Amino acid sequence: MGSREMLSSVFHFPAGITIDSMDPSANELVMRIACDFSSMPCPECHQPSARIHSCYQRLVADLPCAGRNVILALTLRKFVCGTPTCPRKIFTERLPGLVESYARMTSRLIALMQAIGLVAGGQKGTRLVDRSGIATTPSTLLRHVMPLPAPPTRAVRVLGVDDFAWKKRFTYGTILVDLERRTIIDVLADRESATVEAWLHEHPAVELVIRDRGKDFSKAATLGAPQARASWWIVSIWSKISQRCSRRSLGTVVRKFVREKLLCLSWRRPQKSAPVRGPR
């Protein structure tokens, strides 16, 4: 095994990718690589072609190495398709095991950023990858997470429905929460009763709907899930509690409200016994 093949195996490059040179610096490592296959199949007619039209350079970010950014300077070739009936006369060689077309990051770097973005989110994920030597932004991290397919949702028994503002006073949406698992399962584009009703028709396993006292959600719960029980008392309780919290602590208000309205519990403090005084 030659030195080029050994370096390619150390950095786990796919077969046929060789390293021509390496240019390390304090914060960056630039590797110039190329593909040594003599021919490439056309992406349209899938016929191999060995006739080279031209070459060009392409810069792609890769996984960091010892805290330094790794930049791959790819030397890609353009081939001439020899099939007369093929609509594509000139095509560029593909490197599917390393980088996709038009991508500015390798596939393995994108997979790492997707995993970090799912766990830590945008801001925290950016701080985490920055310590690893990956230069990125929160928007870039989230942009790589968005194409991932949504995980399959399990049957929902206890559903929480509430509205939120996409743009305050103008556009509102609906958020749906699985209250048993404490996870958000869907976000609807508006808060119309027909939209929520259609969603409930697609999920017949709902047994209890927790909502506010709005007419739209009440109508949607009645028509979309007639088998489910609708309840708004939790939101009503907390709205009353919040109204009483203007000047008193939350703990005091909750204890008083539970004592008066819900559980009829006594939160009386034990009375201190009067001190025994001796004879004068």
Side-chain angles (χ1 to χ4, degrees), residues 199-218:
W199 191 94
L200 290 173
H201 279 305
E202 297 175 358
H203 299 78
V206 177
E207 299 179 4
L208 178 62
V209 179
I210 307 297
R211 56 174 178 80
D212 58 12
R213 289 178 289 180
K215 296 181 180 179
D216 293 336
F217 292 155
S218 175

Side-chain angles (χ1 to χ4, degrees), residues 156-161 174 176-177 185-186 188 192-211 216-230:
V156 182
R157 291 182 58 255
V158 183
L159 178 68
V161 183
T174 303
L176 305 174
V177 182
I185 55 177
D186 206 347
L188 306 182
E192 300 295 330
S193 60
T195 306
V196 182
E197 178 185 347
W199 191 94
L200 290 173
H201 279 305
E202 297 175 358
H203 299 78
V206 177
E207 299 179 4
L208 178 62
V209 179
I210 307 297
R211 56 174 178 80
D216 293 336
F217 292 155
S218 175
K219 179 181 177 182
T222 303
L223 299 179
Q227 78 285 353
R229 293 182 292 111

Side-chain angles (χ1 to χ4, degrees), residues 81-150:
C81 183
T83 305
T85 57
C86 182
R88 181 169 295 187
K89 303 302 179 182
I90 300 175
F91 64 92
T92 305
E93 61 180 339
R94 264 63 171 173
L95 305 176
L98 181 63
V99 61
E100 298 296 331
S101 300
Y102 304 103
R104 302 182 65 180
M105 298 181 182
T106 59
S107 300
R108 54 191 181 185
L109 177 57
I110 293 177
L112 175 62
M113 295 183 66
Q114 288 174 342
I116 295 176
L118 287 174
V119 174
Q123 295 289 345
K124 294 182 179 179
T126 304
R127 293 195 292 267
L128 179 61
V129 298
D130 183 64
R131 295 177 63 89
S132 303
I134 303 174
T136 186
T137 60
S139 59
T140 302
L141 198 64
L142 296 178
R143 188 172 66 250
H144 289 298
V145 173
M146 294 303 294
L148 294 176

Side-chain angles (χ1 to χ4, degrees), residues 2-280:
S3 59
R4 292 186 177 183
E5 290 78 6
M6 184 176 295
L7 285 175
S8 298
S9 63
V10 168
F11 287 97
H12 293 283
F13 288 141
I17 303 295
T18 58
I19 300 176
D20 293 335
S21 63
M22 300 178 65
D23 185 15
S25 63
N27 300 319
E28 193 175 72
L29 175 62
V30 179
M31 292 189 292
R32 290 174 173 82
I33 64 175
C35 182
D36 58 0
F37 289 134
S38 59
S39 62
M40 278 288 167
C42 176
E44 291 289 340
C45 63
H46 305 289
Q47 295 297 321
S49 175
R51 183 182 172 186
I52 299 176
H53 177 270
S54 59
C55 300
Y56 73 99
Q57 287 275 338
R58 179 181 171 189
L59 299 180
V60 177
D62 197 13
L63 291 174
C65 178
R68 293 180 296 186
N69 296 329
V70 175
I71 304 297
L72 302 182
L74 306 177
T75 301
L76 300 179
R77 300 168 293 177
K78 292 185 177 182
F79 290 85
V80 178
C81 183
T83 305
T85 57
C86 182
R88 181 169 295 187
K89 303 302 179 182
I90 300 175
F91 64 92
T92 305
E93 61 180 339
R94 264 63 171 173
L95 305 176
L98 181 63
V99 61
E100 298 296 331
S101 300
Y102 304 103
R104 302 182 65 180
M105 298 181 182
T106 59
S107 300
R108 54 191 181 185
L109 177 57
I110 293 177
L112 175 62
M113 295 183 66
Q114 288 174 342
I116 295 176
L118 287 174
V119 174
Q123 295 289 345
K124 294 182 179 179
T126 304
R127 293 195 292 267
L128 179 61
V129 298
D130 183 64
R131 295 177 63 89
S132 303
I134 303 174
T136 186
T137 60
S139 59
T140 302
L141 198 64
L142 296 178
R143 188 172 66 250
H144 289 298
V145 173
M146 294 303 294
L148 294 176
T153 57
R154 295 180 290 180
V156 182
R157 291 182 58 255
V158 183
L159 178 68
V161 183
D162 202 358
D163 57 349
F164 69 97
W166 294 102
K167 186 177 181 181
K168 195 173 182 180
R169 298 195 305 272
F170 292 96
T171 309
Y172 290 85
T174 303
I175 184 170
L176 305 174
V177 182
D178 188 345
L179 295 181
E180 288 185 320
R181 303 183 182 93
R182 300 182 181 182
T183 57
I184 299 174
I185 55 177
D186 206 347
V187 175
L188 306 182
D190 53 48
R191 57 177 178 180
E192 300 295 330
S193 60
T195 306
V196 182
E197 178 185 347
W199 191 94
L200 290 173
H201 279 305
E202 297 175 358
H203 299 78
V206 177
E207 299 179 4
L208 178 62
V209 179
I210 307 297
R211 56 174 178 80
D212 58 12
R213 289 178 289 180
K215 296 181 180 179
D216 293 336
F217 292 155
S218 175
K219 179 181 177 182
T222 303
L223 299 179
Q227 78 285 353
R229 293 182 292 111
S231 176
W232 53 266
W233 68 275
I234 294 178
V235 179
S236 177
I237 287 173
W238 284 105
S239 64
K240 293 179 180 179
I241 289 176
S242 62
Q243 293 175 2
R244 300 186 182 186
C245 287
S246 58
R247 296 184 180 179
R248 289 176 290 179
S249 64
L250 179 62
T252 303
V253 173
V254 170
R255 286 195 297 269
K256 184 176 180 180
F257 189 85
V258 169
R259 182 179 66 247
E260 293 177 354
K261 302 296 182 182
L262 294 180
L263 303 179
C264 297
L265 297 177
S266 61
W267 295 85
R268 301 175 182 175
R269 295 182 179 179
Q271 297 181 356
K272 296 182 179 180
S273 58
V276 180
R277 296 181 179 180
R280 294 181 179 178

